Each structure stands twice: as structure tokens, then as C-alpha cells.
Amino acid sequence: MLTDDGHLPRAGKVGNDIMLHGSGGVIEEYDWDGDLVWQYCDSGDREFQHHDFTILPNGNILHIAAEVIPAEEAIALGRAPSQLRDGVLVADKLVEVRPVGATGGVVVWQWRAIDHIVQDHGTTTAEATTRPGLADRP
């Protein structure tokens, strides 16, 4: 979909060996002549943009990102070690970015799925002891 000023926003793919599922890593905006007018890269060893995004009414970009949670942190949150893929947990998050300049942005808000998952199989992890009622489950 073109923006009101005739620009074409698109999600693109960058090379990243850490990306365990999906692809992406960059959001770009091109003008009517095909010139790149804005680019935001979210592709690193702990996080990467993937699949979709939307432009909010305030001009910010809301996109889906995958966050790589190291085994130690995932297990402390109650993830069973046998359920880790390649020794990590990959959890989605929503990220709102305010575009800045031609090649950047500032994260102004995020929602992490990992902050809202309640494990129900271990009663000795930090997660089980900090969430009310979880340790009492059968």
C-alpha cells in the first residue's frame, strides 16, 4: 500500500545466521522514483524483525520481532530444557519505532510475549515462585 505521499513501505530480508525462523530484518520506504528514503534495520544476535509491520496514525512503525532468549534465562523462567531449539528460546514481541533520519529509528514501546507466558510444570523456578497461585497447581 502506498503512503499518502506516494511512498512504498516494504519489509525486506537481510542475511543473518541467527534468524531461526522467518526472515526479515529491515523495513524500508521508497519514493515514487524508486529511491530509498528511509531504512530501519532490526537484525542482530538477540532480535530481528520478521514478517509484517504497519504504519500507525502517528507515523510510527509497529512491527513483529523475534527475540532470542538464552537457555539460562529461558530455563529460569520455567522453560523445559528439552523444549529449547538449538539451545535458545525464540519469542515474539511487538516493537513500535519512531522513524529518525534516513536510516534509523527510536524504539518508543514494546510488548514482549515472554513477559506474559506462565509456565505450569515447575514449582521451583523464579517464574513459579513469583506468579501467584502457580506453585499450587497440580
Side-chain angles (χ1 to χ4, degrees):
M1 175 189 302
L2 296 177
T3 62
D4 290 341
D5 58 3
H7 290 185
L8 176 67
R10 71 179 281 279
K13 180 179 178 180
V14 298
N16 185 328
D17 293 336
I18 303 299
M19 293 184 187
L20 302 174
H21 73 279
S23 62
V26 65
I27 299 171
E28 299 171 324
E29 183 177 332
Y30 289 87
D31 68 14
W32 187 255
D33 296 320
D35 297 320
L36 181 64
V37 295
W38 180 72
Q39 181 180 64
Y40 178 76
C41 289
D42 187 355
S43 176
D45 60 351
R46 289 283 313 250
E47 178 180 318
F48 55 91
Q49 175 274 334
H50 70 87
H51 292 93
D52 205 3
F53 70 94
T54 191
I55 301 173
L56 300 173
N58 64 3
N60 290 353
I61 306 294
L62 183 66
H63 71 85
I64 303 169
E67 179 178 15
V68 178
I69 311 295
E72 183 177 288
E73 183 180 342
I75 292 167
L77 291 170
R79 185 72 170 189
S82 63
Q83 294 180 337
L84 297 176
R85 180 179 172 187
D86 297 325
V88 298
L89 172 65
V90 178
D92 279 333
K93 65 192 239 178
L94 298 175
V95 181
E96 181 179 349
V97 176
R98 179 174 36 91
V100 175
T103 59
V106 174
V107 174
V108 295
W109 177 84
Q110 64 180 350
W111 180 93
R112 301 173 67 217
I114 195 71
D115 292 337
H116 304 277
I117 296 173
V118 177
Q119 63 87 12
D120 61 359
H121 65 272
T123 59
T124 60
T125 64
E127 184 73 8
T129 58
T130 59
R131 299 240 175 148
L134 186 59
D136 299 326
R137 291 185 182 175

